[in-house]
Amino acid sequence: MSWATLLSVMLLGVRFVTAVPNPQNSESPPTLTFSTAVASPSSPSSTLPPQVSVPPTQPWCPSQIFCAGALLQTVNLAQLYSDSKTFVDKPTNKAPSQVLTDFATINGTSLTEGAVEQFVDTDFSGEGLELESVALANFNPTPAFLNGVKDPLVKAWAGVVNGYWTQLIRDTNDSALCDGAACESTLIPLNHTFVVPGGRFREIYYWDSFWIIEGLIQSELYDVVNSTLQNFMDQLERFGFIPNGGRIYYLNRSQPPLFIHMLDRYINATNDTSILERALPLAELELEWWSTNRSITVTSSYTSQTYNMFHYAVNNSAPRPESYLEDYQTATGVNLTEQQRSDLYAELATGAESGWDYTGRWLKQPLAGNNLTDQDSKLRTLNIRSTIPVDLNSLLYKSHQILAEYLDQAGSTSQAASHRAIASNLSSGILDLFWDSNKLAFYDYNLTSNARNGYYSPATFYPFWVGIIPPEVLNDQSKAFGAFAPINMVLNRYNGTFPSSFVETGLQWDLPNSWPPHQYIALEALRNLPSNLTTNAVPNGNSFDLVPSGQLGITEDQLPSQPIRGTNNTSTREDISKLNGTVVNGGTAVNGEGWGQTLQRELANRYTAAAFCSWWATGGSIPNVLPRRSNQDLNLTGSLNNTGNMFEKFSNLDIDSAGSGGEYTVQAGFGWTNGVVLWVASAYGGILDAPKCPNITTDAVSNENNSGGNTSSAASGAASITLSVVLAMVVSGVMLW
């Protein structure tokens, strides 16, 4: 998303949480005000459009107000809010029976948008009021990891990001809870403190919490990590699984299973094994849920071997309540039978369970057509339930391994052996079904075609992350590099971080978007390689030519070009970010560095730069260290009233810009972004350099004079706040802390 586009989005009313805490003051965390959306019909006197029949009641979501039914469908068709989630997060301020009576009174053939607006304003309260911001009692403004961050600017900024936990910490607001008789709400109350992602994601989320926990551990907020785990254990006891998020409309699906991974991180950081007495039986319960509800027998078309594998598969025949209008429009935009609509609703919910909602990975023909604005036609070809995902099976492999280790320690050797057998089956299946020894990459397995999909994505790094390394890689350093060559290509050819795919579909989990979890997983995968595989230097040559033939599934000409700011050249497919021994925003080259260390250094620096530059471009500053950008700059980015945004995703082509696309506007906050920033600062603090960010005003003026008018950043147009600036502040008597 260019800054011009981002500005227009902001002017349409996007709300950001942007108050910057003072990292040196733990006694007075910021007070957050929960703003609520005001209903705004497109035309108050207009009657609602004709509706298709109301979908059947979903057994997992029986509410007549917030689940599939006439009321929810009618409110959504009135289009009172830009985000469907807004309405289902609003508790009623009347008894449910009275709300239904009031709705029945207005519901008729000539129902207007204005009547629906008045009904909602009268019968419902503000969204998110059941949760409250709380003081972070044990907040440490200077956790130990900061001592390992060598660059003064990066160190100061990591301290600011560390302070963002004070904005995102939540408790259930008991005084605002509904008892079911006086009012009704979708919130699933929690007994313990937790961290929210931010923006529209105002409750706890499952897989987000893994990277939040990684950051909390670096921040030494171990009590919050423990509380988060206790909340998930409460949910396991209550529901038998961990739902996608903390609302009743998520109770038909989970998310990538990372509970025992979080538990393992916590124990390794604290040595608090007392939690295991409660946690181990519940971890086993979760894996039983996945086995009962999401396992499937697959016979390999390559070896004829049969494996018990896992897929995402949600039982659902109605629009998702939190995305009701979007799903409804997708399913009713063409002539579909009731069964076809039900199947599509199941696919849409299944995509949400995967966490990758949505991506070309899940489409029947991901490369068909190139209309980036017509998302509905793509989503109607979702084929997720018939896809065996490499990432899901990798996570479950590791989950069974971790559980087996803890069961062994507890003396439950027979149970441990059972879980190791499951892990062994999964490992064999992952290498057989997903690994392509010619292309040197892991791909999803498609049950429809009974073959690998061939759609390249960061999911290829999951097996390496969990310790599954193919024999070809273990026996040949050049093939080991080949498996990671796309990272080298991205770092040399583009100015952002590793994208979700190399195909631009307009879906948010595809190019040009890059996501913090993927950078973490790629780095962890590189760290997991045996040292003897990474000793050689990065090979010389064109970075695309170093990628194994066919691995990306596209030719070099089909790769997206890197737009260039501030020049007469509008774009290029060359290695324009390549420097002597490193890349732009890739840190400083080290003599004798192997390719594995080089890629880690460069990717860690590039991710830090992406998060930092987009934060600085939206009003971020650090007293006595980093000046706020000029009003002229901030006016261009629509950030005159902002104090720095941490975005949930970034642009692979624009180092200082947020990502784009998807069902909702770009979100700021942001839990997993902060977590990965802090983890990177802790793991790579000694090799992180001050980011080089584009000069917004200069580039904008230059772009107006260029025929292309492109607003994406590139190496050739960059101006930076560098270490020399920080040192100048020190020399002039300005202290860093």
Side-chain angles (χ1 to χ4, degrees):
M1 179 184 288
S2 69
W3 280 120
T5 305
L6 183 57
L7 173 59
S8 66
V9 170
M10 288 179 172
L11 293 176
L12 288 173
V14 179
R15 290 180 173 83
F16 294 105
V17 179
T18 55
V20 176
N22 181 354
Q24 301 182 48
N25 185 359
S26 60
E27 300 302 320
S28 55
T31 300
L32 298 186
T33 300
F34 289 91
S35 61
T36 60
V38 177
S40 178
S42 56
S43 180
S45 61
S46 297
T47 57
L48 266 63
Q51 304 182 27
V52 299
S53 58
V54 174
T57 300
Q58 306 299 296
W60 52 272
C61 193
S63 171
Q64 297 181 64
I65 297 173
F66 297 112
C67 302
L71 190 155
L72 182 61
Q73 183 159 297
T74 299
V75 170
N76 273 276
L77 289 182
Q79 300 189 44
L80 305 181
Y81 308 102
S82 60
D83 186 347
S84 296
K85 190 176 185 298
T86 302
F87 172 69
V88 291
D89 288 359
K90 288 179 173 289
T92 70
N93 56 28
K94 297 180 179 179
S97 58
Q98 184 61 53
V99 173
L100 293 171
T101 298
D102 292 348
F103 174 69
T105 300
I106 67 165
N107 193 22
T109 56
S110 59
L111 180 61
T112 65
E113 294 176 6
V116 177
E117 176 194 12
Q118 184 175 1
F119 161 68
V120 171
D121 285 346
T122 301
D123 285 34
F124 294 84
S125 301
E127 64 274 14
L129 297 181
E130 317 99 318
L131 298 170
E132 60 183 355
S133 179
V134 293
L136 196 50
N138 296 323
F139 174 66
N140 180 1
T142 56
F145 84 87
L146 289 175
N147 296 327
V149 183
K150 72 166 187 178
D151 181 83
L153 176 60
V154 176
K155 179 178 181 178
W157 180 63
V160 171
V161 176
N162 174 63
Y164 283 138
W165 300 130
T166 63
Q167 293 187 50
L168 300 173
I169 194 77
R170 298 289 185 272
D171 268 346
T172 300
N173 183 1
D174 293 333
S175 65
L177 288 181
C178 291
D179 61 7
C183 62
E184 184 175 324
S185 165
T186 59
L187 184 74
I188 300 172
L190 297 177
N191 297 319
H192 307 276
T193 300
F194 59 97
V195 172
V196 298
R200 76 194 288 266
F201 303 109
R202 54 181 66 90
E203 50 282 312
I204 196 170
Y205 281 82
Y206 185 7
W207 83 315
D208 291 68
S209 295
F210 174 84
W211 288 279
I212 289 171
I213 280 176
E214 282 284 27
L216 290 171
I217 288 173
Q218 310 312 320
S219 298
E220 300 169 12
L221 292 169
Y222 307 121
D223 55 337
V224 182
V225 178
N226 186 292
S227 293
T228 302
L229 293 170
Q230 297 295 338
N231 283 322
F232 286 142
M233 287 188 277
D234 290 345
Q235 291 184 337
L236 282 166
E237 287 180 339
R238 182 176 177 186
F239 305 119
F241 75 107
I242 299 175
N244 181 156
R247 298 272 172 180
I248 64 169
Y249 47 72
Y250 292 133
L251 287 176
N252 67 334
R253 63 183 190 259
S254 187
Q255 270 195 326
L258 284 159
F259 170 70
I260 198 166
H261 300 247
M262 300 181 216
L263 178 69
D264 189 47
R265 296 292 195 275
Y266 170 72
I267 292 173
N268 287 335
T270 65
N271 201 32
D272 177 15
T273 57
S274 65
I275 196 174
L276 290 172
E277 182 177 358
R278 184 185 186 206
L280 287 187
L282 293 172
E284 196 152 25
L285 179 65
E286 182 187 30
L287 296 183
E288 288 175 6
W289 183 89
W290 282 92
S291 180
T292 300
N293 297 280
R294 300 293 188 265
S295 65
I296 187 170
T297 300
V298 181
T299 300
S300 169
S301 59
Y302 306 108
T303 64
S304 298
Q305 295 294 311
T306 298
Y307 307 96
N308 190 46
M309 306 298 286
F310 294 85
H311 65 151
Y312 296 108
V314 177
N315 184 14
N316 180 63
S317 57
R320 294 165 295 155
E322 79 284 3
S323 299
Y324 196 98
L325 183 62
E326 294 83 357
D327 288 2
Y328 177 93
Q329 291 174 333
T330 299
T332 59
V334 292
N335 292 324
L336 298 179
T337 66
E338 186 173 340
Q339 183 58 53
Q340 287 172 327
R341 281 201 301 271
S342 294
D343 288 342
L344 178 53
Y345 291 143
E347 289 290 332
L348 289 164
T350 300
E353 180 172 71
S354 77
W356 296 46
D357 44 345
Y358 298 94
T359 166
R361 279 182 72 191
W362 309 138
L363 304 183
K364 291 178 181 176
Q365 294 180 304
L367 300 179
N370 195 32
N371 187 343
L372 301 183
T373 61
D374 183 8
Q375 303 302 299
D376 287 342
S377 63
K378 294 183 175 69
L379 295 178
R380 293 182 196 116
T381 71
L382 287 171
N383 193 39
I384 314 172
R385 292 176 297 170
S386 293
T387 300
I388 310 300
V390 59
D391 44 357
L392 172 62
N393 286 275
S394 297
L395 290 176
L396 286 168
Y397 158 80
K398 188 64 173 180
S399 295
H400 284 282
Q401 265 207 334
I402 295 171
L403 183 55
E405 291 172 7
Y406 283 120
L407 287 171
D408 260 343
Q409 295 171 20
S412 302
T413 54
S414 61
Q415 288 175 272
S418 175
H419 287 285
R420 283 201 176 88
I422 296 172
S424 178
N425 169 79
L426 282 169
S427 177
S428 298
I430 287 166
L431 290 170
D432 184 347
L433 299 171
F434 304 141
W435 176 248
D436 189 313
S437 58
N438 294 315
K439 297 179 182 178
L440 299 177
F442 289 97
Y443 303 94
D444 301 320
Y445 192 83
N446 192 320
L447 296 177
T448 304
S449 62
N450 205 26
R452 298 182 192 106
N453 272 344
Y455 192 85
Y456 186 89
S457 78
T460 189
F461 300 128
Y462 274 75
F464 293 100
W465 174 31
V466 301
I468 298 176
I469 303 178
E472 291 87 354
V473 170
L474 285 172
N475 296 328
D476 189 328
Q477 183 165 171
S478 65
K479 289 185 177 180
F481 174 80
F484 291 86
I487 296 177
N488 179 64
M489 185 194 72
V490 167
L491 293 168
N492 279 275
R493 188 154 294 201
Y494 302 103
N495 64 48
T497 49
F498 200 78
S500 296
S501 75
F502 289 96
V503 179
E504 190 171 10
T505 63
L507 302 172
Q508 71 166 344
W509 286 86
D510 281 320
L511 190 110
N513 288 339
S514 61
W515 295 78
H518 290 162
Q519 318 314 307
Y520 170 98
I521 290 163
L523 287 167
E524 282 282 56
L526 285 164
R527 286 156 64 95
N528 238 8
L529 292 174
S531 58
N532 66 306
L533 294 179
T534 62
T535 55
N536 295 341
V538 174
N540 292 319
N542 177 291
S543 66
F544 181 83
D545 292 341
L546 296 176
V547 176
S549 177
Q551 189 184 74
L552 300 182
I554 54 176
T555 65
E556 186 172 14
D557 287 342
Q558 291 173 312
L559 275 175
S561 59
Q562 170 64 64
I564 301 178
R565 274 184 181 173
T567 73
N568 291 322
N569 298 319
T570 58
S571 63
T572 184
R573 289 189 177 90
E574 302 173 61
D575 291 345
I576 60 168
S577 288
K578 187 173 184 177
L579 300 175
N580 183 25
T582 187
V583 294
V584 172
N585 275 317
T588 304
V590 177
N591 288 333
E593 192 177 50
W595 67 265
Q597 289 68 42
T598 298
L599 296 188
Q600 288 181 63
R601 169 179 53 76
E602 293 175 345
L603 184 57
N605 273 276
R606 186 69 64 82
Y607 173 73
T608 301
F612 172 86
C613 291
S614 55
W615 170 85
W616 191 34
T618 51
S621 64
I622 309 173
N624 302 325
V625 176
L626 178 71
R628 182 174 164 86
R629 290 198 121 157
S630 69
N631 285 345
Q632 186 178 10
D633 281 354
L634 298 179
N635 185 55
L636 286 170
T637 65
S639 302
L640 284 174
N641 297 318
N642 285 356
T643 50
N645 295 331
M646 299 294 289
F647 293 108
E648 66 166 349
K649 57 183 180 283
F650 305 104
S651 169
N652 164 251
L653 305 176
D654 210 340
I655 193 68
D656 62 351
S657 184
S660 60
E663 300 177 305
Y664 51 82
T665 55
V666 60
Q667 299 297 297
F670 197 87
W672 65 20
T673 305
N674 305 347
V676 176
V677 164
L678 298 179
W679 177 84
V680 166
S682 176
Y684 297 98
I687 56 174
L688 296 179
D689 289 349
K692 298 175 175 61
C693 303
N695 186 316
I696 297 171
T697 303
T698 302
D699 293 338
V701 172
S702 177
N703 284 326
E704 290 178 1
N705 298 326
N706 289 339
S707 59
N710 200 295
T711 58
S712 295
S713 63
S716 59
S720 64
I721 175 76
T722 62
L723 180 59
S724 60
V725 176
V726 178
L727 291 177
M729 294 177 181
V730 176
V731 170
S732 63
V734 177
M735 301 303 294
L736 291 175
W737 293 103

